[in-house]
Amino acid sequence: MRSTILTSAMVIFLAFQTGRAFSQCKEFKWKEDSALTQDARANFQRFDNAVQGLAFQNAASALTWLLINVPNVGSDMYPKGTLAFDKLAEREKDKRHRRILIDSMFLLYDLHLKACGPSTRVSDAKAMAVYKYYSPSDPKRVLHMFDSLLKVRGNSTSDAMIIAYMQTVKKVFLKYNKLTDDEMLTHYNRAMKIAEAKQRDARRKGQSQQEFLLLKDNIDAILFSIVVIDCAFVKQNLGPRFRRNPRDLVLAKKIVSFMLQNQCIEDPLWLQAGERLYKSDTVKDYSLARTLGLRYFGTNNFTKAQPMLEDALARAPGDKEKVEMLLYLGRVRAKTNKSEARKMFVEALTLEKGNKEAYERIGDLYFDSGVDCGKNENPVDDLLVYVLAASYYQQSGNDKKVSLARGKFPTKADLSQVGYDNGSQKLVGCWIQEMTTLRTKD
């Protein structure tokens, strides 16, 4: 075991040697001495074969010789060497020997960077190794490292590192139980902001966003495993922050999402955050437009409900969603323009034949037009709207409304008075302009 481990003297020696090999590490540099060259080639081949054969003990032994005698033989030995020490450390049961193997692995990472120059790939690999070996015992140290790295890496931070970062937040919380809600959300928002940037970039390039949707789900899952994000949590911790900085769209999105999940969108905070997010979003979201539209509709604020519902209709992913929006839009427009409302309901029937609510809503339009369309010139003509309304109510299956409309039908005496025949076809005038079959209530 000890023959495979780099001593302190070797560390100093190697640090000095590799410092002179900067930018040359990708080329093989053999010493001029022929005997040494033969030994170097043999040890390099033994090292390479051992790594490929997963004989990491032999690989570590050969690597030690190479680093001492020909430290600038090439960059290929560094990642293979760190792999060898990593695997040996995983298997080692003795704590002291395991510590030496881990130290040797990190030494190789440092030598690699010193010999070959700055490398994001190598630095990230070292960071993940720090997470692997130190986060269980000293998660605070690892979290500090990740915080610094994420600030530098920004949106180029790897998905694996983002998840490791959030897992470290969780470990700090579980080990010390000293992270405040605000501190946890600071870490969470940092990770989520990067994930969302990755998703936007993929969308802009026309690439699949599934990888980043999964990343966001995993980030959420880790946070939710630490704290309970209920409505009280959102109002107490996120509400004040949002009121201080209403332009924080990341925060607004979290408020909207959390409160929607907890079904407390009746709270004014949700509406404020939703409005801010909706007005600022260059890519309008169907779900948000729909929920805001229905929220306004539920409070009878039809002026604000209509544009939201129209936007949701334009972005509806399928016919089912379009029908729902058309039915709500029809009800909004019925307040001011029955003809336009009917167009909405008819379009809903085009998308979903036999939709009972659409039939009922058209029946309501006609029934409610009885007073407006009555000219008091012909008692039967003025009652045709109710006959037509009843036919739509029948198709909707609403027997109660059928009975209500039938109660306003003309009588046989009314027909006799104006000379109409029961069962004849008549045009319903006014804005309706639709034929109906004349019927009496007796």
Side-chain angles (χ1 to χ4, degrees), residues 326-392:
L326 286 166
L327 292 174
Y328 274 107
L329 272 172
R331 293 170 66 184
V332 171
R333 293 184 178 180
K335 307 294 180 181
T336 56
N337 191 322
K338 290 183 173 63
S339 180
E340 287 297 314
R342 180 173 60 181
K343 289 181 181 179
M344 299 291 100
F345 298 138
V346 170
E347 187 176 348
L349 284 169
T350 301
L351 293 173
E352 185 184 329
K353 297 184 184 302
N355 183 284
K356 292 186 176 182
E357 183 179 351
Y359 281 121
E360 182 178 344
R361 296 300 177 188
I362 295 174
D364 289 340
L365 291 176
Y366 294 160
F367 188 93
D368 294 340
S369 297
V371 175
D372 295 336
C373 291
K375 298 180 180 179
N376 298 318
E377 296 176 356
N378 183 315
V380 175
D381 286 350
D382 288 349
L383 300 177
L384 290 176
V385 288
Y386 301 112
V387 177
L388 184 58
S391 66
Y392 278 91

Side-chain angles (χ1 to χ4, degrees), residues 278 281 283-294 308-326 328:
Y278 182 84
D281 224 338
V283 181
K284 301 298 184 183
D285 178 74
Y286 160 76
S287 296
L288 181 58
R290 172 189 178 276
T291 308
L292 283 169
L294 296 185
M308 296 293 184
L309 294 172
E310 288 174 345
D311 206 25
L313 174 63
R315 291 163 177 78
D319 287 348
K320 180 180 178 181
E321 292 80 7
K322 289 179 181 178
V323 168
E324 182 191 26
M325 294 302 97
L326 286 166
Y328 274 107

Side-chain angles (χ1 to χ4, degrees), residues 49-60:
N49 290 342
V51 173
Q52 292 187 42
L54 306 182
F56 297 114
Q57 184 70 42
N58 294 335

Side-chain angles (χ1 to χ4, degrees), residues 246-301:
R247 294 186 178 183
D248 188 339
L249 298 183
V250 173
L251 180 59
K253 187 173 293 187
K254 293 303 107 189
I255 291 172
V256 168
S257 176
F258 292 146
M259 298 188 81
L260 186 60
Q261 289 172 12
N262 287 281
Q263 300 181 355
C264 51
I265 63 173
E266 300 300 319
D267 192 280
L269 175 62
W270 183 87
L271 196 57
Q272 293 165 10
E275 284 182 330
R276 178 60 189 163
L277 187 62
Y278 182 84
K279 291 176 182 178
S280 304
D281 224 338
T282 54
V283 181
K284 301 298 184 183
D285 178 74
Y286 160 76
S287 296
L288 181 58
R290 172 189 178 276
T291 308
L292 283 169
L294 296 185
R295 177 75 175 83
Y296 286 127
F297 184 91
T299 58
N300 296 323
N301 190 339

